[in-house]
Amino acid sequence: MSLNNYLFYVILPMLCLAVLLVAYRFFKGPSIVDRVIALDLMITIGIGIITIYSIMTKQSTFLDDAMILALIAFLGTVAFSYYLEKKEEK
Amino acid sequence: MTDNYIILPIIAHLAIAVLLIFFWRKVQIQRYISVLGSLLVLGLSIGLFIKTWRTGYLTMQAGNWQAPFGITFVSDVFSSTMVLLAGMAGLAVCIFSSVGISRHRIQYGYFPIFHFLLLGLNGAFLTGDIFNLYVWFEVIIISSFVLMTLGGKKPQIEGGIKYVTLNLLASVMFLTAVAILYGLTGSLNMADLSLKMAEIDNRGLVNVTGLLFFLGFGIKSAVFPLYFWLPSSYHTPPSAIAAIFGGLLTKVGVYALLRVFTLIFIPDEFTSTMLMAVATLTLLTGAFGAVIKRNMRMMFSYLIVCHIGYLIGGLGMYTQAALAGVIFYLIHDIIVKTNLFLVSGIIYKIRGTMNMDKLGGLYADYPKLSFLMAIVFFSLVGIPPLSGFWPKIYLFQEGLATPNAWYLVVAMIIASFVTLYVIAKMWADVFWKDRPAEEAATEDDFAPMKRYHRAVLIIPVVMLAIASLYIGFCAEHIATLSQRIAADLKDTAPYIKAVLGREIIKP
Amino acid sequence: MISAVLSGFLFAMLVLLFGKYVKGKPAVLTTLLPLSLFAYFLGMLPAVQTQPLLFSYRWIPSMGIDLNFKLDGLSLLFSLLITGIGTLVFAYASYYLKGHRYLDRFYCYLSLFMASMLGLVLSDNVMLLFVFWELTSITSFFLIGFNNDDPASRRNSLMALAITGGGGFLLMTGFVLLGTLAGGYSISAMLSSAEMLKGHAWYGWVLFFLFGGAFTKSAQFPFHFWLPGAMKAPTPVSAYLHSATMVKAGVYLLARFTPVLGGHPYWNTTLLIAGAITMLYSAWHAIQRTDLKGILAYSTIAALGTLVFLLGVGTAEAMAAAAVFILVHALYKAALFLVAGILDHETGTRDVTILRGLRKVMLPVAAAGMLAALSSAGLPLTFGFIGKDLIYEATLHAPAYGYILTGIAVLTNILVLYAGFQAGIRPFAGRLPEGFRSVHLPDLRLWVPPLILATLGLLYGMIPALADASLVQPVVQALGAVSPAPLKIWHGFNVVLLLSGVTLAAGFALYFIRMPSARHQLAVDRFASLSPETLVVRSARGFSRFSTWYTNRLHNGNLRSYVHIIIIFITVLLAYKLITGVHLYFDIRTNVAPITVYDLTVFGIILFAIWKTVSTSSRITAVASMSVVGYCICILFVIYSAPDLAMTQFTIDTLTVVLFVLVLFRLPRFLRINDRKVIVRDSIISGLFGVLIAIIALEVMNEPTNKETSRFYAENAYLLAKGKNVVNVMLVDFRGFDTMVEITVLVIAALGVYSLLKLRISSSEKE
Amino acid sequence: MLTFIWVMLTGELVFPNFVFGFLLSYITLWLVTADNEQKRYFSRVPAVISFVFFFLYEMLRANFQVAYDVITPRFFMKPGIVQYPMDAKTDLEITFLANLISLTPGTLILDVSDDKKVVYIHVMYLTDKDAFVRQIKGGLEKRLLDILR
Amino acid sequence: MSDILIMILCTLGCITVLIAAIGIVRMPDFYLRLSVTIKAATLGIGLLLAAAAVFFADISISTKVLAIIFFLFLTAPVAGHMIGRASYFTGTKLWKGSVLDELEGQYNKETHSLGSEDKKEEEAT
Amino acid sequence: MKSVILRTASNYLLPLLLLFSVFILLRGHYNPGGGFVGGLIASIAFMLHAFANQLENTRKLLRYPPGALIPVGLAVSLLSGLAPVFAGQPFMTALWFSAPVPIIGLVGTPLFFDIGVYFVVIGITLTILFNISENIL
Amino acid sequence: MELLLIILIGILYATGIYMMLRRSMVKLLIGLILLGNGANMLIFLLGGITKGKPPIIGEGEKILSGLYADPIPQSLILTAIVISFGLQSFAIVLLKRVYVLIQTDDLNDLNTPDTDI
Ligand code: NA
Ligand code: NA
């Protein structure tokens, strides 16, 4: 089994399964914090998918996207936690 | 042949705006820069107009990338006329604003944004690239959003939200249409599109695309039933802002419609009929609205809607004479509608209200000013030989000559009549009628102003009034101009040749 | 010629600018303008006898509109009336409005009006004519509303403008149509295509529009009612505009176009019927009135009806009669108005039930009034007699229904006679009441003008030849007919004379039997609800109500309903176009990328995220779900080879979330409004819209795309533009201008955000 | 800190730009930081490496435990929030400690008290609180502080 | 050879991620979910990235990968801390099987300041 | 938000992100990136700092209000577009220095244009973010 | 895949409009954002989609050859995204102003009829 096939038929489906599971949590909630961490995890797995995809297509360019994702997803989480605290304060 | 002169009216506004941002909060300096800058741009626009008039077409391939690969700027007589008009209206409103806009608004960026708006307008007029046009439209939209809500009073915000929402919807339609256009042709250059669209076999799809453009631009030009944002919002910002909006914003939509529907799409029978039907309803809707509104600026807003109907109707008829009428009307309308709102600004300054029931006595208090305003009002009505009259001849003529356009003619008659009536009624109420006694307490902010300041408010009105008198009395010039533009619009081959630099034989 | 027309405009400007000098004594000097013009036109008399004079100046040649003037008999007659009566009215007004605050404006309007009227009658180009036509309407508006603090004045001026202005637009349409059919706007040129026009399928429409203009201006039933209302204007104005000149513009128009369009059954029948109804209706009304100006107004309408009626008869005799009657009526009616003005001015009332015996205190005025009244009655030796004779002759010799027509004419004349006597004689007859003892003869500027007019009427009546060759014959010629016979005082004993006798006898009898009384007026007022005026006012109110309903219905302040309407409109149009114009097909098998598991995953998540965005009741969840949609799109961008896009979309989505979060925490929870109906309706609308867009996308995808441009970029990005990331090269070089504009957008947005957050305007500032 | 930046930057830009990287870092730092105490990073490289390995080992070990719990149907967890008195004093120390604790599966920093004396740790397998505290103190925190101080 | 290494790294990373994903679905309370996810994902993604580094075998790409891993390791726990703290404020309850909550009562609801007194040692929930 | 951990982390992330943003900016012509994304990343860095350290401190750190970058950036872009005009070329024609600069590669007006974009984007994003979060951060 | 994208585009447009028809201004903004995404995807789709070959000229090559993604839609979308970001941030701030004025984001509270100003 070549690397590409392995990635395509084994790794990617597993990652997709993982994302779907996390997405399930995102949609189910129940609380907003659950959604936030689900979102965070989805982005993180997204980084993984992009990484695998860049290996598959031999395009290292996509790793740049992975980098940006890694850097900025953090801001989103911080913003959400900020929201939650502020909302509580009110 | 490439000529950098074309983008001078664009760059100048951008440079002025940047300069003004450097002088953030320096109210007095900003006033001077802005007025001088507008003057400069007007000069440049005149230059551009003369150059274009002589040569027919000027092009500038930005970045020196030959069309259709780069972004092309084209100045034909039509666009240079529009730039010229924008320059005139811009200068007038700019002068007016330097006194008519409170210093707070100036401190918070009124002038830079004003120039950005004009920048957007000039860009939209001069670009030869459909996506670039979209971008310019966004400049116009965002600066108008800002101007609309500058100050943040509740009515402004209320109007602003409707304005913003519906205009964004228009942008989406525009973008959708651009997407489809690209999907069909792989090109964005309008001249190139003109050729490539003609080659597409699936005419139905081409027409659908045209329809999408119509919907996008239709919202911006406030045609029925896409006009709602206009009467919701135009009465809310300060008059100077309303003036530039009323004069130019809807017109740029019409400009785009004219461009797109002459260069890229040729209206098929359905589109023509639809345009005429829409025009009819626009005329009527605007007229009905104008009849009942007692707030002057609201009434003017409805009149804007109403008169857009003439323009769209002329486009629907699609003969050279009808297009000439549209152009003539456009020229007249830009000048007069701008002035109309400036006049309302002065009235507001004097009386502190726009409600006609509360207004009155202006004729007795300000006879000379009233006379000046009368010129504006009756130009709008089109009392011959004032400016609004002449284009109607073209439009009526073509309306009668076009088969099955009688309803449009009826609507035009009704619209003309209603305009006459509401303006006369307004004249009777605002100028003739005595001022209601209970309103006497409201102070007149105009009379106590320094003579110089008053002059600053009046001069632009005079300028534009002279312009509209010129349009009326020297109608020959405007008629020649309109006919030339209409001929250009009908025969696009020279335009395409000027842009693409090669001889084109259109099927 | 052009200077003759323009001098009035110029003068108006001068008056406006140097108004304060006009207000005092020098006011009477304004008379010099009409006087000199009168002299000028008088000098033209001999020249016009043979053939019309043409004057041409270029104005808007590219629209076929030039300053073409033509002085023929018809226009000369009107010009003389305009300037002649103008002279007298200018003089009269200088005393009548002595010391009025706005005397300067008055003269401004008046000279504007005079100039417009001159232009109107001299134009040889329909569009030019229309220009002046509208100017008369608008100056009339200003003159009727001259006493603008009076609400009735304002209302009536509006009414007059509405009717004449509305008619004006019809006329314009007619002219445009005429111009289109005839291939030009020149009236002279139209003469040559008269036959073609009459045979054209649109002849009826031309007439419709033309009559629309003429009837409204000349106050034909049912558009007559603005004219009595117009009497709110100062009396000199009424005399000038609303009796002698402007209202005759419609008649002038009809006369002018008789050679072009006349002679057709449509033409004649319509004019006859309209004229006849107007004559009878207004004559009847005239005798019910007690207000001097009311009486005169209605009798004016009757006269206008008569003129239209005569044009409708259409024979050469009728033309001659019309020509003479124009002059007759102008002379006596203007005189009567001026007299009425004097009475009003001196006694303060215009009520004929009160005014009595004033001959004792103002004999010259009484003389003027009496002469004018007699002329209007058509007593022998007055000009009116000749006029009436001609009318009867014309009706008797009419091609059809001669007796009926004659009957109508006689009846009208009896009533008009009565009305004329009421206005010109009754106030001076009888005993002078105590109250009027102090009344005295006014300044000669007031009483000389009517006297001149009335005397002229007598003069022409005694020596008809004076008017005949120089004035009447050229008119008849201009109307395209050959004058049957010279004017004579005495035709011998014939039916016409008998009719005249009957008219006079009946009229006198009526005068002595029937005293003016407010009761008559009241009797008429009972039918006011059926009068055309009421109908018009009612329908205007209905129109306004409808407008209110329509406008508020559509523009109800509710953003959502706007979006609804817009989207429905878009959907309907697109759907129609797609169904009718596009051959829908799609071949699924060719040229599509296979669907992979990650595609499906992303797609599935997007769907769920969208669902969540729509269905959640928590704002923050909606925002979070929306950002999921955005992130998934990023992944799609990555998968489909757009790394730059993915980056940008991702950063911007995150920033948008941050922005939302910074704003949202203040807001309460979502409103829970679960109106099922609304939701279902909205879903259907938006669903349809989405389906349409999808179909369009599908169809466009089927079309082959031309990749010429993108190939150029691919091949030249590095070689010419020295960059390897083609997208970025496009952004900064190939299409750098877009980027330039794009950052400008951002800058504006930032400025807007800043000012929106920081600026608070106090509501006291008036901008 | 500078080192990290520098490594990253040179790595990306392919070699011959020591100067540029340094300049850029310097400018950025000048622009940005007021309280960056200059320390001798280079001497600590071996300690850092050994720490990284220790940490990776810890992480893997804990991961397996959690993984087992996650995929088997029954939960064996005894979760709880523990107050952990820190030895770490400076912000940097606290941050490092907290991050590392969090990165270890089964434990998660919830917050640091305002007086910076204790951290609150959410622990998945809290059989014995004192044992847990001791384990952290002796292992992770000690090694970390060794490096940082 | 390197293919094998890549496969192994990928598989490990992938399993870790999957476990985290299962964890986030299965875990009974928020803190537990947070706990399992943050680092599992970090580790898993780290492994995947490492695979990429091996695959491209290029110094510039390796440093890029290192940078990403570094960022992840730096930010993920901080993010976990932020969200965990926020969730405690919003009153997210602990699982009924939890044995101890020493944080309870330590927060000042108004000022969000956090005390450190050791006051509730015996109160296990 | 009062969190020691976040504060510390953000203090270290800030220079890192800034550097990264410059990096993204400069390499845009050859790889994904460019002035726009670069600018956004820089602003995100500052925003993160503001979340952790109070807005006031971030402002102090910046010394100048971020809005000041707007006209500067716009002017840079505009001038780089205008430069070829003075050389007799159409507006926005790319002019390149003949010799490549070591790290960046070829230097030309498009690069300056991109730098202008970078500054403008930082300026506007921070203006928006800071103003909207005033009094709440 | 194109089919899925088309469905997605249709759904984005539909939900965008649907959200615009809600009473809450937040939903309205979200609707506009979704519409924007839809339009972007439309450009993306109609420009033709290609997997795994970004329009970046490889190391040592001088032109983009073989199969590559069309750069034009990408640059158009990029511009469109950025512009809509500007518009969105303005609109979000407008939302904030609205809250200050009426303490909620219910559009029904923003219907003051014909204010006299
Ligand atoms: Na607009
Ligand atoms: Na208009």
PDB file of all heavy atoms in Angstrom, chain B residues 69 102 105 129 132 285 363 443 473, chain C residues 59 109 713 735 738 765-767:
ATOM      1  N   PHE B  69      -5.968  42.013 -19.768  1.00  0.00           N
ATOM      2  CA  PHE B  69      -5.292  41.341 -18.654  1.00  0.00           C
ATOM      3  C   PHE B  69      -5.159  42.214 -17.425  1.00  0.00           C
ATOM      4  O   PHE B  69      -5.184  41.740 -16.312  1.00  0.00           O
ATOM      5  CB  PHE B  69      -3.929  40.830 -19.111  1.00  0.00           C
ATOM      6  CG  PHE B  69      -4.044  39.968 -20.327  1.00  0.00           C
ATOM      7  CD1 PHE B  69      -3.426  40.308 -21.514  1.00  0.00           C
ATOM      8  CD2 PHE B  69      -4.815  38.820 -20.300  1.00  0.00           C
ATOM      9  CE1 PHE B  69      -3.545  39.517 -22.640  1.00  0.00           C
ATOM     10  CE2 PHE B  69      -4.953  38.019 -21.427  1.00  0.00           C
ATOM     11  CZ  PHE B  69      -4.323  38.367 -22.598  1.00  0.00           C
ATOM     12  N   SER B 102     -21.563  70.549  10.921  1.00  0.00           N
ATOM     13  CA  SER B 102     -21.057  71.004  12.212  1.00  0.00           C
ATOM     14  C   SER B 102     -19.618  70.556  12.424  1.00  0.00           C
ATOM     15  O   SER B 102     -19.163  69.577  11.850  1.00  0.00           O
ATOM     16  CB  SER B 102     -21.926  70.436  13.332  1.00  0.00           C
ATOM     17  OG  SER B 102     -21.593  69.080  13.524  1.00  0.00           O
ATOM     18  N   ARG B 105     -18.819  66.859  13.288  1.00  0.00           N
ATOM     19  CA  ARG B 105     -18.757  65.883  12.205  1.00  0.00           C
ATOM     20  C   ARG B 105     -17.455  66.028  11.434  1.00  0.00           C
ATOM     21  O   ARG B 105     -16.877  65.042  10.987  1.00  0.00           O
ATOM     22  CB  ARG B 105     -19.958  66.051  11.273  1.00  0.00           C
ATOM     23  CG  ARG B 105     -21.232  65.455  11.850  1.00  0.00           C
ATOM     24  CD  ARG B 105     -22.289  65.310  10.773  1.00  0.00           C
ATOM     25  NE  ARG B 105     -23.433  64.537  11.248  1.00  0.00           N
ATOM     26  CZ  ARG B 105     -24.511  65.064  11.804  1.00  0.00           C
ATOM     27  NH1 ARG B 105     -24.603  66.354  11.956  1.00  0.00           N
ATOM     28  NH2 ARG B 105     -25.503  64.286  12.212  1.00  0.00           N
ATOM     29  N   ASP B 129     -13.460  47.897 -16.119  1.00  0.00           N
ATOM     30  CA  ASP B 129     -13.338  46.520 -15.660  1.00  0.00           C
ATOM     31  C   ASP B 129     -14.499  46.237 -14.726  1.00  0.00           C
ATOM     32  O   ASP B 129     -14.773  47.007 -13.807  1.00  0.00           O
ATOM     33  CB  ASP B 129     -12.003  46.367 -14.927  1.00  0.00           C
ATOM     34  CG  ASP B 129     -11.729  44.939 -14.538  1.00  0.00           C
ATOM     35  OD1 ASP B 129     -12.345  44.448 -13.580  1.00  0.00           O
ATOM     36  OD2 ASP B 129     -10.879  44.323 -15.186  1.00  0.00           O
ATOM     37  N   ASN B 132     -13.551  45.696 -11.066  1.00  0.00           N
ATOM     38  CA  ASN B 132     -13.094  46.963 -10.515  1.00  0.00           C
ATOM     39  C   ASN B 132     -14.296  47.864 -10.237  1.00  0.00           C
ATOM     40  O   ASN B 132     -14.329  48.587  -9.241  1.00  0.00           O
ATOM     41  CB  ASN B 132     -12.132  47.622 -11.499  1.00  0.00           C
ATOM     42  CG  ASN B 132     -11.290  48.692 -10.841  1.00  0.00           C
ATOM     43  OD1 ASN B 132     -11.343  49.839 -11.252  1.00  0.00           O
ATOM     44  ND2 ASN B 132     -10.537  48.338  -9.821  1.00  0.00           N
ATOM     45  N   THR B 285     -44.865  55.060  -8.236  1.00  0.00           N
ATOM     46  CA  THR B 285     -44.604  54.915  -6.808  1.00  0.00           C
ATOM     47  C   THR B 285     -43.998  56.192  -6.239  1.00  0.00           C
ATOM     48  O   THR B 285     -44.410  56.681  -5.184  1.00  0.00           O
ATOM     49  CB  THR B 285     -43.639  53.739  -6.578  1.00  0.00           C
ATOM     50  OG1 THR B 285     -44.172  52.592  -7.214  1.00  0.00           O
ATOM     51  CG2 THR B 285     -43.461  53.488  -5.106  1.00  0.00           C
ATOM     52  N   TYR B 363     -40.915  83.484   1.744  1.00  0.00           N
ATOM     53  CA  TYR B 363     -40.957  84.456   0.661  1.00  0.00           C
ATOM     54  C   TYR B 363     -40.931  85.864   1.229  1.00  0.00           C
ATOM     55  O   TYR B 363     -40.269  86.760   0.692  1.00  0.00           O
ATOM     56  CB  TYR B 363     -42.233  84.224  -0.139  1.00  0.00           C
ATOM     57  CG  TYR B 363     -42.290  84.886  -1.475  1.00  0.00           C
ATOM     58  CD1 TYR B 363     -41.148  85.038  -2.245  1.00  0.00           C
ATOM     59  CD2 TYR B 363     -43.494  85.356  -1.976  1.00  0.00           C
ATOM     60  CE1 TYR B 363     -41.216  85.633  -3.480  1.00  0.00           C
ATOM     61  CE2 TYR B 363     -43.570  85.950  -3.210  1.00  0.00           C
ATOM     62  CZ  TYR B 363     -42.422  86.100  -3.968  1.00  0.00           C
ATOM     63  OH  TYR B 363     -42.485  86.679  -5.189  1.00  0.00           O
ATOM     64  N   GLU B 443     -35.619  79.510  16.630  1.00  0.00           N
ATOM     65  CA  GLU B 443     -34.764  80.594  16.166  1.00  0.00           C
ATOM     66  C   GLU B 443     -34.253  80.359  14.765  1.00  0.00           C
ATOM     67  O   GLU B 443     -34.047  79.238  14.338  1.00  0.00           O
ATOM     68  CB  GLU B 443     -33.574  80.735  17.120  1.00  0.00           C
ATOM     69  CG  GLU B 443     -33.901  81.612  18.305  1.00  0.00           C
ATOM     70  CD  GLU B 443     -32.734  81.670  19.257  1.00  0.00           C
ATOM     71  OE1 GLU B 443     -31.589  81.606  18.774  1.00  0.00           O
ATOM     72  OE2 GLU B 443     -32.978  81.770  20.467  1.00  0.00           O
ATOM     73  N   PHE B 473     -31.044  76.867 -20.846  1.00  0.00           N
ATOM     74  CA  PHE B 473     -31.041  77.864 -21.911  1.00  0.00           C
ATOM     75  C   PHE B 473     -30.067  77.520 -23.023  1.00  0.00           C
ATOM     76  O   PHE B 473     -30.283  77.892 -24.168  1.00  0.00           O
ATOM     77  CB  PHE B 473     -30.739  79.246 -21.330  1.00  0.00           C
ATOM     78  CG  PHE B 473     -31.903  79.814 -20.595  1.00  0.00           C
ATOM     79  CD1 PHE B 473     -31.973  79.734 -19.211  1.00  0.00           C
ATOM     80  CD2 PHE B 473     -32.969  80.366 -21.273  1.00  0.00           C
ATOM     81  CE1 PHE B 473     -33.062  80.218 -18.530  1.00  0.00           C
ATOM     82  CE2 PHE B 473     -34.070  80.857 -20.598  1.00  0.00           C
ATOM     83  CZ  PHE B 473     -34.118  80.787 -19.227  1.00  0.00           C
TER      84      PHE B 473
ATOM     85  N   TRP C  59     -31.421  77.925 -31.862  1.00  0.00           N
ATOM     86  CA  TRP C  59     -31.397  77.700 -30.417  1.00  0.00           C
ATOM     87  C   TRP C  59     -30.937  76.276 -30.119  1.00  0.00           C
ATOM     88  O   TRP C  59     -29.823  76.068 -29.642  1.00  0.00           O
ATOM     89  CB  TRP C  59     -32.767  77.990 -29.803  1.00  0.00           C
ATOM     90  CG  TRP C  59     -32.756  78.002 -28.306  1.00  0.00           C
ATOM     91  CD1 TRP C  59     -31.669  78.186 -27.495  1.00  0.00           C
ATOM     92  CD2 TRP C  59     -33.859  77.837 -27.445  1.00  0.00           C
ATOM     93  NE1 TRP C  59     -32.026  78.160 -26.182  1.00  0.00           N
ATOM     94  CE2 TRP C  59     -33.380  77.940 -26.108  1.00  0.00           C
ATOM     95  CE3 TRP C  59     -35.229  77.618 -27.630  1.00  0.00           C
ATOM     96  CZ2 TRP C  59     -34.212  77.827 -25.004  1.00  0.00           C
ATOM     97  CZ3 TRP C  59     -36.049  77.518 -26.521  1.00  0.00           C
ATOM     98  CH2 TRP C  59     -35.547  77.626 -25.217  1.00  0.00           C
ATOM     99  N   TYR C 109     -43.610  89.726 -12.622  1.00  0.00           N
ATOM    100  CA  TYR C 109     -44.447  88.644 -13.131  1.00  0.00           C
ATOM    101  C   TYR C 109     -45.204  89.090 -14.376  1.00  0.00           C
ATOM    102  O   TYR C 109     -45.344  88.348 -15.343  1.00  0.00           O
ATOM    103  CB  TYR C 109     -45.482  88.214 -12.089  1.00  0.00           C
ATOM    104  CG  TYR C 109     -44.911  87.699 -10.800  1.00  0.00           C
ATOM    105  CD1 TYR C 109     -45.566  87.922  -9.599  1.00  0.00           C
ATOM    106  CD2 TYR C 109     -43.720  86.984 -10.788  1.00  0.00           C
ATOM    107  CE1 TYR C 109     -45.058  87.445  -8.415  1.00  0.00           C
ATOM    108  CE2 TYR C 109     -43.211  86.512  -9.604  1.00  0.00           C
ATOM    109  CZ  TYR C 109     -43.881  86.743  -8.418  1.00  0.00           C
ATOM    110  OH  TYR C 109     -43.382  86.275  -7.249  1.00  0.00           O
ATOM    111  N   TYR C 713      -1.860  35.152 -17.068  1.00  0.00           N
ATOM    112  CA  TYR C 713      -1.269  35.357 -15.747  1.00  0.00           C
ATOM    113  C   TYR C 713      -0.298  34.234 -15.410  1.00  0.00           C
ATOM    114  O   TYR C 713       0.788  34.467 -14.887  1.00  0.00           O
ATOM    115  CB  TYR C 713      -2.361  35.419 -14.682  1.00  0.00           C
ATOM    116  CG  TYR C 713      -3.264  36.617 -14.809  1.00  0.00           C
ATOM    117  CD1 TYR C 713      -4.608  36.531 -14.502  1.00  0.00           C
ATOM    118  CD2 TYR C 713      -2.768  37.850 -15.237  1.00  0.00           C
ATOM    119  CE1 TYR C 713      -5.447  37.630 -14.615  1.00  0.00           C
ATOM    120  CE2 TYR C 713      -3.591  38.950 -15.355  1.00  0.00           C
ATOM    121  CZ  TYR C 713      -4.925  38.827 -15.051  1.00  0.00           C
ATOM    122  OH  TYR C 713      -5.744  39.894 -15.155  1.00  0.00           O
ATOM    123  N   ARG C 735      -3.704  43.118 -11.001  1.00  0.00           N
ATOM    124  CA  ARG C 735      -4.935  43.807 -10.615  1.00  0.00           C
ATOM    125  C   ARG C 735      -4.701  44.613  -9.337  1.00  0.00           C
ATOM    126  O   ARG C 735      -5.545  44.660  -8.439  1.00  0.00           O
ATOM    127  CB  ARG C 735      -6.064  42.804 -10.424  1.00  0.00           C
ATOM    128  CG  ARG C 735      -6.449  42.045 -11.689  1.00  0.00           C
ATOM    129  CD  ARG C 735      -7.689  41.211 -11.479  1.00  0.00           C
ATOM    130  NE  ARG C 735      -8.831  42.039 -11.197  1.00  0.00           N
ATOM    131  CZ  ARG C 735      -9.623  42.555 -12.137  1.00  0.00           C
ATOM    132  NH1 ARG C 735      -9.407  42.319 -13.387  1.00  0.00           N
ATOM    133  NH2 ARG C 735     -10.632  43.310 -11.804  1.00  0.00           N
ATOM    134  N   ASP C 738      -7.325  47.052  -7.863  1.00  0.00           N
ATOM    135  CA  ASP C 738      -8.378  46.529  -6.994  1.00  0.00           C
ATOM    136  C   ASP C 738      -7.957  46.582  -5.533  1.00  0.00           C
ATOM    137  O   ASP C 738      -8.727  46.975  -4.658  1.00  0.00           O
ATOM    138  CB  ASP C 738      -8.682  45.072  -7.357  1.00  0.00           C
ATOM    139  CG  ASP C 738      -9.586  44.963  -8.562  1.00  0.00           C
ATOM    140  OD1 ASP C 738     -10.157  45.988  -8.967  1.00  0.00           O
ATOM    141  OD2 ASP C 738      -9.702  43.848  -9.107  1.00  0.00           O
ATOM    142  N   GLU C 765     -28.129  71.077  16.767  1.00  0.00           N
ATOM    143  CA  GLU C 765     -27.463  71.617  15.582  1.00  0.00           C
ATOM    144  C   GLU C 765     -28.301  71.397  14.334  1.00  0.00           C
ATOM    145  O   GLU C 765     -28.823  70.323  14.097  1.00  0.00           O
ATOM    146  CB  GLU C 765     -26.093  70.971  15.432  1.00  0.00           C
ATOM    147  CG  GLU C 765     -25.142  71.492  16.479  1.00  0.00           C
ATOM    148  CD  GLU C 765     -23.766  70.891  16.335  1.00  0.00           C
ATOM    149  OE1 GLU C 765     -23.117  71.197  15.328  1.00  0.00           O
ATOM    150  OE2 GLU C 765     -23.361  70.135  17.225  1.00  0.00           O
ATOM    151  N   LYS C 766     -28.398  72.433  13.568  1.00  0.00           N
ATOM    152  CA  LYS C 766     -29.205  72.340  12.345  1.00  0.00           C
ATOM    153  C   LYS C 766     -28.290  72.240  11.142  1.00  0.00           C
ATOM    154  O   LYS C 766     -27.587  73.187  10.810  1.00  0.00           O
ATOM    155  CB  LYS C 766     -30.082  73.581  12.222  1.00  0.00           C
ATOM    156  CG  LYS C 766     -31.125  73.701  13.294  1.00  0.00           C
ATOM    157  CD  LYS C 766     -32.167  74.710  12.886  1.00  0.00           C
ATOM    158  CE  LYS C 766     -32.300  75.822  13.905  1.00  0.00           C
ATOM    159  NZ  LYS C 766     -32.961  76.981  13.331  1.00  0.00           N
ATOM    160  N   GLU C 767     -28.297  71.093  10.558  1.00  0.00           N
ATOM    161  CA  GLU C 767     -27.396  70.910   9.421  1.00  0.00           C
ATOM    162  C   GLU C 767     -28.182  70.546   8.190  1.00  0.00           C
ATOM    163  O   GLU C 767     -29.148  69.818   8.252  1.00  0.00           O
ATOM    164  CB  GLU C 767     -26.385  69.815   9.724  1.00  0.00           C
ATOM    165  CG  GLU C 767     -25.373  70.260  10.758  1.00  0.00           C
ATOM    166  CD  GLU C 767     -24.663  69.062  11.347  1.00  0.00           C
ATOM    167  OE1 GLU C 767     -25.310  68.324  12.077  1.00  0.00           O
ATOM    168  OE2 GLU C 767     -23.488  68.885  11.067  1.00  0.00           O
TER     169      GLU C 767
END
